[in-house]
Amino acid sequence: MARENQHPDATPSRRASSAEPFASSNRRSVFRTPASQGRGLPRPQGLSASGRKVAPPAATPHARAAFRTIDSRRAAIFTPHRARRKSLREVRDSPRDFLLSLGRVLARNTEVITTSSSSSPGEADRTVASDGPGNDTTLGSINVDEDDEDDEELPKRPRLSLPIDEEDEDDSDDLQPHRSVLIDDDNNFTMQSIEMPRRAYSEQPMNRFSMGSVRMSDYFDTHDMLHSEDVGIDSGFFPPTAALDETNIAMGLEELPSPERLDSDANRPDPGRESDFRIDIPVGDVNESTFLMAPQVVDSPDGPPGRLPVATAEVVHDDYAPLLDQRSDDYDDEDLFGGVPALEDEPLEAQNEQLHDETEREPMTARGPQDRRLTKKTIKVSKYGIEYPSLPPAVVKRLAQNFARANGAKGKITPDAMKAIMQASDWFFEQLGEDLQAYAKHAGRKTIDESDVLTLMKRQVTIYQWVSRYCYTWLTLSRQRQINPNTTPFALAQRHLPRELLQELRMPPPVVPKKRRKTNGGTEDEDVT
Amino acid sequence: MAGQKLYPRATVKKIVKAHSNCNVSKNADVMMFLDYMLFMQTLMREATIEAKQGGERGITARSVKKVTADSLAKFRG
């Protein structure tokens, strides 16, 4: 009678038992066997739920136990979870169930109490509804009966544990606004030191390329500005020293963590503790921030103001960055101060510093090379102090126009665009030279070989013949390398190079010759969108 | 492309030599230029797409500059 009276919410689980396929009854017997065996009743002979022969009574107790466990495991595998649960529940049938069903009849409107331990509310509902009679305490069910209004409060019980996934998301969400708000609060110079980690979070290879790239910064700073000026002043002696200096300025900071930095890392805990002592003073005179970490936050503007107008931006940065790091570390224990986070921050700082350098020099860069380019023919000097020409614009323009037309661009390439393309090709050759040098040196050569170029091309990644050709989704976008079985260097060369140059190339025989593309019109076909 | 030289070989050699501070073997510049052509192809393709998306007529300096960094990144060793 209890089953008929049940609330529609809870019925399906119960009803299912009547509609349950016959296997479940078998399974129940499997589940009960241990108990019956324990009581010494004879075990039913025949086939178990899994169809395997049950252990003969003559078997040793160990063997029987083993068979039993195997059987129960199999049954567990093939049993849907709900059926398993139910079979257990019937064992525990008690007068409490009658109370529960009575409650369901009397108070239909009450909502099921969700337990705080489960992560998702929907799941919680289900488990409570189906498991209620078995697992819930009577207290919970009584509550459902007695006070309908109170159970609104029940789900809001303080949770002792938060689901992990949510916490992670919250964490990241918390940190980001925290920083941005910080920036809003500090309207002054501190802003830079605070903003830096935000930039660093988004630090990706692409991002680095956009502004703070090593190579571009080399180009921007050293080549266009420093060098072109250096050439005028003292072009004679700068090759060895200047090269060293530049690498240190522009790119070296990342690669060579200087001992001072390590020292400063080691020293970090000290200023942090000092700031603990100074808590009260800075809060008063500088802007109030609402954060809990306020004392240390305000600590950073507190120290420098005397120094700041005098100090260059780099000094400011050096002063602030460690403080900032501490602030972010304050969430954790103090032992973390000198440890891992500091090491993590190091390249970021270097990166930021580099950015800083660029921003400092950029105004000069903006006017410097432009004028020069207008006035006379460019003299560009690589970082090794070797002058180099750029490709003749006619060649570049012809190439560009060919490829642009192949891509379906209409119209001509404007002079401005041409300038940008020239710049890009200069950068390309600079990058090419450095990469090739790395490969050649790695091979222990002083000469760049064809093999180096091949290696380079094999490593270069390009989104080759993308969506238009394969209609891939964005995920499968086929980030192919420049050279793969489909595009052998031979095929590429044959497609792009005139015959006399092809003859110069001593190509390794293509591995998959039958896969080779058609050479004529291949570019035109594939690239028209 | 047919009649004239495709590119001045000596210039390419000089450029790479200056940047790498290494010697360049006899015919390596052909491969280098092949790589450069692939780069230009990528650059112009991206620039064209960018220009189309920006509603520009033809390739402009803006579109080229915008895609330069990405294209360079693709051709990084």
Side-chain angles (χ1 to χ4, degrees):
Chain A
M1 81 155 203
R3 279 174 200 169
E4 278 79 26
N5 286 342
Q6 264 173 354
H7 192 270
D9 278 351
T11 32
S13 60
R14 286 303 186 104
R15 280 260 174 80
S17 70
S18 60
E20 193 69 17
F22 111 100
S24 75
S25 64
N26 253 352
R27 245 171 264 131
R28 217 177 293 142
S29 72
V30 168
F31 272 104
R32 280 188 177 167
T33 35
S36 59
Q37 288 255 337
R39 269 179 243 133
L41 294 176
R43 210 188 152 174
Q45 293 270 344
L47 293 181
S48 75
S50 52
R52 210 179 45 78
K53 262 206 132 184
V54 180
T60 61
H62 283 295
R64 255 182 284 141
F67 277 127
R68 231 182 293 134
T69 51
I70 290 172
D71 275 344
S72 63
R73 251 181 232 157
R74 280 200 185 179
I77 287 172
F78 293 121
T79 316
H81 294 262
R82 201 200 273 156
R84 228 189 300 165
R85 234 181 279 133
K86 221 185 309 149
S87 64
L88 283 178
R89 199 195 304 135
E90 287 199 6
V91 179
R92 297 189 206 151
D93 234 5
S94 67
R96 195 174 48 195
D97 286 353
F98 291 102
L99 282 180
L100 267 180
S101 52
L102 182 68
R104 284 193 190 108
V105 172
L106 291 181
R108 277 176 182 272
N109 305 337
T110 52
E111 294 165 1
V112 188
I113 304 167
T114 56
T115 54
S116 64
S117 60
S118 59
S119 56
S120 65
E123 220 176 88
D125 284 346
R126 236 183 301 127
T127 51
V128 166
S130 58
D131 270 357
N135 296 336
D136 252 9
T137 57
T138 46
L139 212 156
S141 59
I142 285 174
N143 272 344
V144 171
D145 296 343
E146 284 182 350
D147 30 23
D148 292 346
E149 286 79 17
D150 278 356
D151 59 3
E152 289 169 2
E153 298 168 4
L154 279 176
K156 291 172 190 171
R157 244 188 320 189
R159 316 181 65 163
L160 294 182
S161 64
L162 291 174
I164 295 171
D165 42 359
E166 286 181 24
E167 193 182 41
D168 277 348
E169 287 169 9
D170 285 347
D171 214 354
S172 59
D173 285 346
D174 272 347
L175 284 181
Q176 303 287 351
H178 156 62
R179 291 250 160 71
S180 61
V181 171
L182 248 188
I183 285 167
D184 289 341
D185 276 340
D186 295 347
N187 46 359
N188 46 7
F189 24 81
T190 334
M191 196 169 129
Q192 283 181 334
S193 70
I194 285 169
E195 196 178 18
M196 304 250 157
R198 290 173 76 227
R199 228 180 255 156
Y201 276 141
S202 61
E203 183 206 3
Q204 299 294 332
M206 288 301 177
N207 249 339
R208 295 186 56 215
F209 251 96
S210 64
M211 263 322 288
S213 116
V214 169
R215 274 148 181 165
M216 286 211 196
S217 72
D218 274 352
Y219 196 85
F220 273 131
D221 300 338
T222 58
H223 290 229
D224 273 355
M225 194 205 66
L226 280 183
H227 273 302
S228 46
E229 282 174 5
D230 276 0
V231 170
I233 302 167
D234 42 7
S235 58
F237 62 87
F238 80 91
T241 56
L244 276 179
D245 286 347
E246 288 156 23
T247 45
N248 276 342
I249 290 173
M251 57 185 291
L253 280 178
E254 289 185 6
E255 297 160 7
L256 321 163
S258 62
E260 312 145 21
R261 284 188 173 281
L262 293 178
D263 287 347
S264 70
D265 284 352
N267 287 337
R268 272 177 201 176
D270 294 339
R273 274 159 205 157
E274 283 175 18
S275 68
D276 282 344
F277 291 119
R278 280 185 282 165
I279 282 180
D280 294 334
I281 307 164
V283 175
D285 49 24
V286 202
N287 41 7
E288 293 257 346
S289 55
T290 52
F291 305 108
L292 291 180
M293 288 74 68
Q296 291 199 359
V297 172
V298 188
D299 167 60
S300 52
D302 163 58
R307 283 177 265 163
L308 206 135
V310 195
T312 64
E314 273 201 35
V315 174
V316 169
H317 176 73
D318 278 342
D319 283 342
Y320 284 152
L323 288 173
L324 180 77
D325 294 338
Q326 283 168 17
R327 201 176 312 130
S328 59
D329 288 344
D330 271 348
Y331 295 106
D332 308 327
D333 297 336
E334 273 197 357
D335 6 339
L336 287 179
F337 272 178
V340 182
L343 287 180
E344 282 176 0
D345 289 336
E346 197 151 324
L348 307 185
E349 279 176 36
Q351 176 74 25
N352 290 331
E353 205 151 298
Q354 194 179 317
L355 285 174
H356 223 87
D357 290 347
E358 277 182 16
T359 47
E360 276 181 343
R361 288 176 197 162
E362 244 161 10
M364 301 179 67
T365 332
R367 58 170 165 71
Q370 294 291 344
D371 292 346
R372 254 162 249 275
R373 228 166 251 163
L374 289 181
T375 50
K376 59 176 181 177
K377 212 180 174 191
T378 50
I379 300 175
K380 284 171 292 185
V381 183
S382 77
K383 69 176 181 183
Y384 296 100
I386 307 169
E387 286 186 20
Y388 66 93
S390 60
L391 277 181
V395 173
V396 180
K397 186 163 192 174
R398 197 178 55 218
L399 268 183
Q401 263 174 349
N402 278 343
F403 285 128
R405 222 173 292 138
N407 285 312
K410 289 160 292 212
K412 285 187 175 180
I413 298 174
T414 62
D416 276 348
M418 198 52 220
K419 212 180 275 176
I421 292 171
M422 287 297 290
Q423 184 87 333
S425 55
D426 280 344
W427 284 337
F428 171 78
F429 275 113
E430 186 185 346
Q431 176 180 308
L432 182 77
E434 287 173 12
D435 289 342
L436 288 179
Q437 180 209 24
Y439 287 126
K441 279 197 174 163
H442 180 72
R445 274 183 267 112
K446 275 291 286 177
T447 308
I448 293 173
D449 242 347
E450 286 105 321
S451 64
D452 295 326
V453 194
L454 264 185
T455 319
L456 177 69
M457 288 172 77
K458 276 178 190 161
R459 272 192 47 84
Q460 284 165 351
V461 171
T462 182
I463 299 180
Y464 201 68
Q465 310 134 356
W466 52 311
V467 195
S468 63
R469 179 141 182 134
Y470 291 114
C471 296
Y472 278 174
T473 55
W474 279 103
L475 280 181
T476 49
L477 231 168
S478 78
R479 285 207 112 199
Q480 292 178 353
R481 305 230 175 227
Q482 196 65 255
I483 290 180
N484 53 27
N486 284 337
T487 60
T488 59
F490 186 71
L492 287 172
Q494 217 172 20
R495 188 197 300 162
H496 290 290
L497 296 176
R499 200 177 301 142
E500 61 267 20
L501 287 177
L502 266 182
Q503 284 168 353
E504 304 280 351
L505 279 182
R506 186 170 302 162
M507 287 287 191
V511 186
V512 197
K514 55 182 180 291
K515 274 283 204 175
R516 205 186 304 146
R517 289 247 172 69
K518 288 219 166 168
T519 53
N520 289 336
T523 51
E524 263 78 10
D525 286 344
E526 77 191 15
D527 292 324
V528 170
T529 44
Chain B
M1 210 190 268
Q4 49 193 331
K5 268 194 309 183
L6 180 59
Y7 71 100
R9 299 187 61 173
T11 311
V12 172
K13 265 189 189 177
K14 261 185 240 167
I15 294 172
V16 177
K17 192 172 174 178
H19 281 307
S20 63
N21 204 15
C22 284
N23 297 324
V24 178
S25 78
K26 196 181 163 205
N27 287 322
D29 61 299
V30 182
M31 289 298 288
M32 287 174 199
F33 194 74
L34 177 60
D35 202 18
Y36 173 64
M37 288 178 80
L38 294 175
F39 168 71
M40 283 298 286
Q41 189 181 11
T42 308
L43 183 74
M44 296 318 286
R45 180 175 61 220
E46 300 294 326
T48 311
I49 292 166
E50 180 66 36
K52 275 178 187 165
Q53 279 176 352
E56 290 162 354
R57 189 189 312 147
I59 293 173
T60 61
R62 187 198 68 87
S63 55
V64 174
K65 276 173 189 161
K66 213 167 180 185
V67 299
T68 297
D70 276 359
S71 306
L72 274 176
K74 276 181 210 162
F75 278 78
R76 197 180 204 184

